[in-house]
Amino acid sequence: MRAVAAPSRTQYAILGLLASGPRSGYDIKKEVTERIAHFWNESIGHLYPVLRRLLDRGLVTRTSETAGSRPTRHVYAITAEGRQELEYWLREPVVPSPPRLEILLKLYFGAHATPEVLTGHIEAYREDRARQLATMQAVHDMLGARPSTDDTRYLRMTVRAGVHSARAALAWCDEVLAEQQALAREADR
Amino acid sequence: MRAVAAPSRTQYAILGLLASGPRSGYDIKKEVTERIAHFWNESIGHLYPVLRRLLDRGLVTRTSETAGSRPTRHVYAITAEGRQELEYWLREPVVPSPPRLEILLKLYFGAHATPEVLTGHIEAYREDRARQLATMQAVHDMLGARPSTDDTRYLRMTVRAGVHSARAALAWCDEVLAEQQALAREADR
DNA sequence: CGCCGCATGTAAGAGGTTACATGATTCG
DNA sequence: CGAATCATGTAACCTCTTACATGCGGCG
């Protein structure tokens, strides 16, 4: 390989989840979409081959649960080497991923679109983020009812990140929408 | 192809830039890194094949400028069909891309790392965003607080998005760092 | 009786990054 | 005189997504 490995983050997500208990591929997918979808996601079709690779590398083990005639359920557990690999990755600096915000790209090319189209995009985005804010706040309240236990502390922090980010997005949308309205009034005069 | 085309956004970025004047691949790359890197980026190695494809599809034309013994400079210009394609894309709803925030993933797995490591990551991230905020504010001031001319109006909006986002990130970092410090004090007691 | 949840996996390929290859010119 | 800029392009390769393949069991 010439291109230096941009190491798959999927494998670390898997190791991280398995670090708090054995799970099947299906379980992992569910956990991702139900708990951390606000900052991370995985597609099920990618999970299986990566689990296979982790197995081959000895970072996880696999046990099979056969229940009647259903497809065999494979439960994966992290090994000592897997834990080491996870801890190594956790210590490594976060690699910044260059942003690609499609909505800003469209806005940047705004001169080639109608104001109505732009406003429509921003409004849709605003609603999206407003919904997210509501969800995040609901989750936060649910977590916040109890004292900061170890198992929810970090989840709560990520939820707060979502709250901050959504609020900022809303404020920005309102700014942009106001400016677009001012422009429309000017054009009307 | 079975997987339904997630249409390359690179091609639209190219068309959008070419819509305000002919450029070479090299020029496009420079413009991306110098002007819109805060929300978009392209790698030069990917630009050339995509330009080639746009040429084959008749969305751009190419003229060659030979200057002495240097590699021939290819200048691309958008065609009427290219403009149509761009405008079509601009009208289409923004496709939301599921987030993957590595720093939050590491934080979420915080139970398997030392508090010092986590704090280090957050501090690094904070500095990063503080730098970005400074840059964004400088650019914003340069663009001029008020008279929104058409050619800077949309750029300014994207810069404002960066300002809002960076401020939110800083506030979040401070919150998290304070919580980590409180935890450390508790552990000390 | 139809849909959803459970459950695994493969195939195809898009999209994108990095390294390599090559060489002139400009500037400090 | 060495580094950066100009300038294009190819090769290798990886990551990840989507679609396909398959089928049971429970619930409304």
Side-chain angles (χ1 to χ4, degrees), chain B residues 31-183:
Chain B
E31 197 166 346
V32 169
T33 51
E34 283 170 14
R35 294 178 66 93
I36 63 175
H38 57 107
F39 68 88
W40 200 261
N41 64 88
E42 293 294 345
S43 65
I44 184 70
H46 193 215
L47 238 34
Y48 290 111
V50 174
L51 276 167
R52 174 83 230 176
R53 214 179 57 198
L54 290 173
L55 186 64
D56 292 343
R57 289 175 58 204
L59 304 183
V60 302
T61 57
R62 182 167 83 170
T63 56
S64 299
E65 289 176 5
T66 314
S69 54
R70 290 212 234 170
T72 308
R73 188 179 137 91
H74 292 147
V75 176
Y76 297 86
I78 194 167
T79 64
E81 295 83 54
R83 276 218 148 75
Q84 262 191 331
E85 182 78 11
L86 172 65
E87 280 157 22
Y88 168 76
W89 172 74
L90 283 172
R91 265 181 266 120
E92 284 293 286
V94 175
V95 301
S97 60
R100 283 196 121 184
L101 305 176
E102 197 181 301
I103 191 170
L104 293 188
L105 190 64
K106 287 197 178 179
L107 191 62
Y108 183 69
F109 297 140
H112 308 289
T114 63
E116 289 76 30
V117 163
L118 294 181
T119 312
H121 289 331
I122 305 292
E123 275 165 355
Y125 177 64
R126 195 192 185 286
E127 271 169 52
D128 227 64
R129 301 294 298 209
R131 256 191 303 276
Q132 202 211 337
L133 179 59
T135 317
M136 291 296 104
Q137 275 172 335
V139 172
H140 192 262
D141 290 349
M142 241 168 51
L143 292 175
R146 18 153 241 115
S148 279
T149 56
D150 229 42
D151 54 320
T152 57
R153 144 169 286 117
Y154 297 113
L155 174 60
R156 184 189 291 99
M157 286 181 183
T158 67
V159 171
R160 282 210 190 128
V163 170
H164 277 285
S165 161
R167 279 206 199 115
L170 291 182
W172 175 75
C173 287
D174 291 339
E175 234 178 70
V176 170
L177 288 172
E179 192 175 330
Q180 286 290 95
Q181 271 165 19
L183 187 70

